[in-house]
Amino acid sequence: MLTKIRQRSIVKLYGYCSHPRYRFLVCQYIEKGNLASILSNEELAVQFHWQRRVALIRDVAQALTYLHHDVHPPIIHRDITSRNILLDAGYKGFVSDFGIARMLKPDSSNWSALAGTYGYIAPECSYTSLVTEKCDVYSFGVVVLEVLMGKHPGDIQAFHSSLNDKFLLEEILDKRLPRPKTEANNVKWCISVAFDCLTPSPKERPAMLKVYQDLSI
C-alpha cells in the first residue's frame, strides 16, 4: 500500500530489501532530519520562523487527511510525533515511519494493542483498544502545540487548564522567535484548531478533513 502512495507530504517508500542477513526499506531522503531535532537546535529553530511553522502544520494536516480520507481502506498512522515528521532543505514537512500504522478494514473490528509514543497517545487508548482515525487527530494536536511552543507541551490536560480564555500568545509561543506579526492570525488559528484536536472525547474531535479545511481558510 505504501509504495503506491504519492502524496507530496508523505515520505515516499520506493521499495525494500529482504535478505537472510539484511532487511531494510528504501525511502525518499529528507535533508534536515526530524522536527524534534530541529526544535532542539537553537540555530535551526530560529531559522524555522513562523511562516515555515504554519506551513509545516498544514503539510502534516494535508498528509493525514490523505491517509484518512483518500486512501481505501484508510490508513491510521498511530505514531504522529515530532520525531516522525521530517523536514527538507526548505523546511517543508513530511510524515514518515509507518512501522505501527494500521489499515481500517470495514469488515474487521480494528482492535489493537496499545501503540504509539508517550505524550502523543490519545487518552481513550488507555482504556480501549479500538483503533480510529481520531487517535491521529489527537496526536496532530500535540504536534501543533509543539511546533508553536518550540517544545512538547507536557501533560495536555494540565497545560490546557492552566490557560484562561484570554491568554496572551507570549505565554506559550517559542520565545526564540520574535512575536509573530504578519502570521499572528494564522498562529492563533493553529492554536485554536490544536485545542479542538485535543478534546478528550474522540467523538467530539474533528475529522482530519475538517482540520485541514479549517487550516486552509
Side-chain angles (χ1 to χ4, degrees):
M1 175 68 80
L2 290 175
T3 58
K4 298 176 183 177
I5 288 178
R6 290 294 181 268
Q7 203 281 336
R8 63 181 185 174
S9 296
I10 297 176
V11 172
K12 293 180 178 63
L13 174 64
Y14 294 116
Y16 65 91
C17 174
S18 182
H19 183 274
R21 292 182 60 188
Y22 307 104
R23 288 191 301 171
F24 55 86
L25 303 177
V26 182
C27 298
Q28 178 184 7
Y29 176 67
I30 309 296
E31 298 92 328
K32 284 195 176 296
N34 67 59
L35 173 61
S37 64
I38 288 174
L39 291 175
S40 64
N41 182 298
E42 297 296 317
E43 182 180 348
L44 293 177
V46 171
Q47 295 175 20
F48 191 28
H49 52 63
W50 296 120
Q51 185 176 2
R52 284 173 171 169
R53 296 191 190 202
V54 169
L56 175 130
I57 288 169
R58 288 177 179 149
D59 289 340
V60 177
Q62 186 181 49
L64 289 176
T65 298
Y66 175 83
L67 292 173
H68 292 183
H69 300 279
D70 296 324
V71 175
H72 301 286
I75 295 177
I76 310 303
H77 188 283
R78 296 208 298 165
D79 201 20
I80 295 297
T81 73
S82 56
R83 292 192 177 280
N84 290 336
I85 296 171
L86 305 181
L87 287 83
D88 68 8
Y91 288 84
K92 174 177 171 51
F94 294 80
V95 173
S96 70
D97 197 344
F98 287 77
I100 61 172
R102 285 284 300 274
M103 290 186 291
L104 283 188
K105 300 178 181 178
D107 57 346
S108 171
S109 60
N110 293 303
W111 294 93
S112 173
L114 179 64
T117 301
Y118 180 77
Y120 299 87
I121 302 174
E124 67 271 15
C125 293
S126 63
Y127 56 81
T128 179
S129 299
L130 182 63
V131 177
T132 76
E133 71 278 13
K134 297 300 181 69
C135 300
D136 282 352
V137 173
Y138 184 92
S139 301
F140 173 76
V142 178
V143 169
V144 172
L145 290 183
E146 188 172 358
V147 169
L148 299 178
M149 296 174 67
K151 60 182 181 180
H152 191 281
D155 184 279
I156 295 300
Q157 299 311 314
F159 170 77
H160 203 176
S161 61
S162 69
L163 301 174
N164 58 49
D165 293 336
K166 298 181 180 179
F167 71 89
L168 300 175
L169 285 179
E170 290 84 349
E171 294 179 29
I172 66 173
L173 294 185
D174 193 339
K175 294 178 174 55
R176 294 171 295 184
L177 295 182
R179 179 177 177 176
K181 295 180 181 179
T182 56
E183 287 292 327
N185 288 335
N186 285 331
V187 169
K188 290 179 182 178
W189 190 236
C190 284
I191 293 174
S192 176
V193 170
F195 286 158
D196 287 343
C197 293
L198 295 171
T199 301
S201 171
K203 292 182 179 179
E204 296 178 11
R205 281 178 220 144
M208 276 311 307
L209 179 59
K210 174 69 163 54
V211 171
Y212 179 62
Q213 288 172 342
D214 287 346
L215 291 171
S216 301
I217 294 177

